[in-house]
């Protein structure tokens, strides 16, 4: 493999307590102990070798544990890259100063759940945007990772347009789907809202990317190159299809196949203490779990949700929604191709 990616849980603290969060752990305030950090660093060095390596810091809210982040960053290899998943809501005054020496190798992913958080904490949108702007002004690469939709997706286009306006000047934007769980299958309001908005939504994303130069990305099966399998039956995050290029490390040093299992402590596939390397992890494949031989994927969720059939998406998005999303993917690509040709021929003056 050319790269390895470790999602590392540094704490189970959080300052938001969102009721729809897929991470249902009790917030004890626990953070990764120093001994586990040191074991993780040793594990990462041993398994990376000369290959590229990236570490994504997760929580909870990782910014609430600056000691853990500092210990990881100071002990990391010089060629390692980092991603920090943060809600960007409550950074300590010297937080960015602590990260500054690593900013050329660090991407801050500001994950904000849009109207859900705004309804719960009025003014939180501008507060988060202010923190993002401050980080960008200090030379950090920040990718806003924003939810635009409500439970019915009835305002998908308008919400996306407002979000793009709010983030004008940002180089990148990742639009994620609804974080509200248990609504994706057999939801009439969702389907009606999607049908009314999806074509304009795809055209808007293409226009912003080509004409305005902001890299707007969505992984809601519309984005070209996104994988049908990158979808979870209960919410927003993606199960890995390329395991074991990506491994999740819990606060106790246990290794898991995806974020869900790290947060509920089910199905550990190893730990950093016993010297597992990537070849050993690769050997822990689907035959260890009943029903998944078709995909040869270690993640037991595939067996529970899909019964070994990768096409069975009924737990998350039904067939009607699937058809609309894949049709929108083709339309978005058509928009990208057409606008790209026009921009190459005429520059930006054709709009």
């Amino acid at each position: 493999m050319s790269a390895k990616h470790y999602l590392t849980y540094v704490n189970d603290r959080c300052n938001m307590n969102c009721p729809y969060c897929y991470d249902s752990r009790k917030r004890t305030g626990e953070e990764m102990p120093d001994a586990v950090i040191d074991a993780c660093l040793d594990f990462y060095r041993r398994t990376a070798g000369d290959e590229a390596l990236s570490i994504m810091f997760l929580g909870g809210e990782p910014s609430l544990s600056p000691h853990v982040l500092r210990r990881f960053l100071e002990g990391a290899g010089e060629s390692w890259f980092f991603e920090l998943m943060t809600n960007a809501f409550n950074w300590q005054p010297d937080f960015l100063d602590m990260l500054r020496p690593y900013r050329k190798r660090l991407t801050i992913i500001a994950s904000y759940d849009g109207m859900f958080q705004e309804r719960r904490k009025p003014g939180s949108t501008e507060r988060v945007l202010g923190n993002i702007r401050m980080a960008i002004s200090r030379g950090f690469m920040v990718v806003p990772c924003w939810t635009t939709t409500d439970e019915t997706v009835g305002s998908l286009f308008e919400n996306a347009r407002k979000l793009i306006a709010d983030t004008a000047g940002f180089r990148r934007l990742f639009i994620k789907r609804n974080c509200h769980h248990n609504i994706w299958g057999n939801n009439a309001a969702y389907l009606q809202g999607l049908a009314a908005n999806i074509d304009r939504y795809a055209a808007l994303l293409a226009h912003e990317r080509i004409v305005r130069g902001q890299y707007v990305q969505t992984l809601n099966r519309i984005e070209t190159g996104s994988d049908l399998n990158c979808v979870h039956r209960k919410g927003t995050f993606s199960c890995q299809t390329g395991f074991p290029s990506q491994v999740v490390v819990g606060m106790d040093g246990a290794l898991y196949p995806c974020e869900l299992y790290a947060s509920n402590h089910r199905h550990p596939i190893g730990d950093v203490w016993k010297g597992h390397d990537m070849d050993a992890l690769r050997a822990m494949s689907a035959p260890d779990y009943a029903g998944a031989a078709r995909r040869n994927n270690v993640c037991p969720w595939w067996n529970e949700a899909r019964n070994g059939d990768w096409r069975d998406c009924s737990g998350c998005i039904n067939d009607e929604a699937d058809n609309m999303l894949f049709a929108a993917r083709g339309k978005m690509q058509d928009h990208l191709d057409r606008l790209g040709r026009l921009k190459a021929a005429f520059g930006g003056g054709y709009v």
Side-chain angles (χ1 to χ4, degrees):
M1 294 179 297
S2 59
K4 297 181 176 67
H5 192 186
Y6 294 101
L7 280 65
T8 305
Y9 274 79
V10 301
N11 65 25
D12 67 359
R13 301 175 181 178
C14 192
N15 52 351
M16 295 301 291
N17 194 31
C18 300
Y20 47 80
C21 183
Y22 68 82
D23 186 347
S24 58
R25 289 175 296 169
K26 182 180 179 180
R27 299 299 179 190
T28 65
E30 180 185 1
E31 63 183 19
M32 183 177 280
D34 289 351
V36 179
I37 298 172
D38 293 340
C40 285
L41 288 168
D42 182 64
F43 173 73
Y44 297 163
R45 292 188 198 98
R46 197 169 58 247
T47 58
D50 296 328
E51 297 179 275
L53 183 148
S54 69
I55 301 173
M56 176 184 282
F57 299 115
L58 300 168
E61 171 51 42
S63 68
L64 299 178
S65 296
H67 161 75
V68 176
L69 297 179
R70 182 182 293 108
R71 196 174 180 99
F72 266 111
L73 293 168
E74 290 178 350
E78 294 183 359
S79 61
W80 296 7
F81 293 85
F82 311 98
E83 294 175 315
L84 173 68
M85 181 68 75
T86 173
N87 57 38
F89 187 79
N90 193 32
W91 290 344
Q92 298 179 20
D94 59 348
F95 180 64
L96 292 179
D97 292 334
M98 185 269 289
L99 297 177
R100 184 176 176 81
Y102 310 95
R103 68 188 187 281
K104 300 301 183 183
R105 293 187 281 147
L106 172 69
T107 299
I108 297 175
I109 303 173
S111 179
Y112 180 75
D113 294 323
M115 64 183 64
F116 295 105
Q117 289 184 359
E118 184 64 34
R119 282 200 296 259
R120 295 179 62 249
K121 294 189 176 185
S124 60
T125 299
E126 189 51 44
R127 177 173 179 172
V128 170
L129 284 170
N131 280 336
I132 292 174
R133 294 186 185 105
M134 176 175 62
I136 291 175
S137 71
R138 296 188 184 183
F140 288 90
M141 167 60 77
V142 185
V143 180
C145 182
W146 231 265
T147 298
T148 59
T149 62
D150 60 16
E151 289 85 343
T152 65
V153 198
S155 303
L156 174 63
F157 175 77
E158 288 77 7
N159 291 339
R161 185 165 57 181
K162 181 180 185 305
L163 169 60
I164 288 171
D166 287 343
T167 59
F170 295 174
R171 286 180 288 174
R172 294 176 61 187
L173 172 66
F174 185 99
I175 297 181
K176 59 183 178 179
R177 65 188 193 190
N178 190 341
C179 276
H180 196 281
H181 297 171
N182 302 320
I183 69 162
W184 294 98
N186 305 314
N187 184 305
Y190 166 71
L191 292 173
Q192 292 168 3
L194 194 62
N197 281 270
I198 194 64
D199 288 347
R200 291 191 301 164
Y201 179 66
L204 174 66
L205 298 183
H207 179 273
E208 293 304 312
R209 184 181 302 181
I210 299 298
V211 178
R212 297 191 182 274
Q214 183 182 33
Y215 187 78
V216 182
Q217 183 180 11
T218 177
L219 254 181
N220 200 7
R221 301 202 188 175
I222 301 171
E223 182 68 31
T224 300
S226 63
D227 194 318
L228 168 65
N229 301 324
C230 285
V231 66
H232 193 281
R233 62 175 171 169
K234 286 189 175 181
T236 59
F237 67 90
S238 303
C239 284
Q240 291 79 261
T241 58
F243 185 88
S245 62
Q246 183 165 294
V247 175
V248 182
V249 183
M251 287 183 295
D252 57 355
L255 306 175
Y256 297 90
C258 74
E259 296 175 53
L260 178 65
Y261 291 101
S263 63
N264 66 18
H265 303 294
R266 295 177 60 197
H267 302 298
I269 57 174
D271 59 57
V272 299
W273 304 96
K274 294 181 180 178
H276 290 288
D277 58 23
M278 298 308 290
D279 290 333
L281 293 174
R282 189 182 294 110
M284 299 178 187
S285 58
D288 296 328
Y289 302 98
R294 177 187 177 102
R295 291 296 293 166
N296 195 33
N297 192 302
V298 71
C299 182
W301 169 75
W302 286 105
N303 310 309
E304 298 172 2
R306 307 293 183 89
N307 297 314
D309 184 354
W310 66 274
R311 298 165 297 179
D312 178 11
C313 300
S314 58
C316 189
I317 299 179
N318 58 30
D319 291 339
E320 187 174 351
D322 255 357
N323 291 336
M324 282 190 279
L325 290 168
F326 277 110
R329 172 187 290 190
K331 293 176 181 177
M332 181 175 173
Q333 188 59 51
D334 288 344
H335 287 307
L336 289 170
D337 293 343
R338 178 177 59 83
L339 291 173
R341 290 194 301 269
L342 286 171
K343 187 170 185 178
F346 302 107
Y350 63 89
V351 179

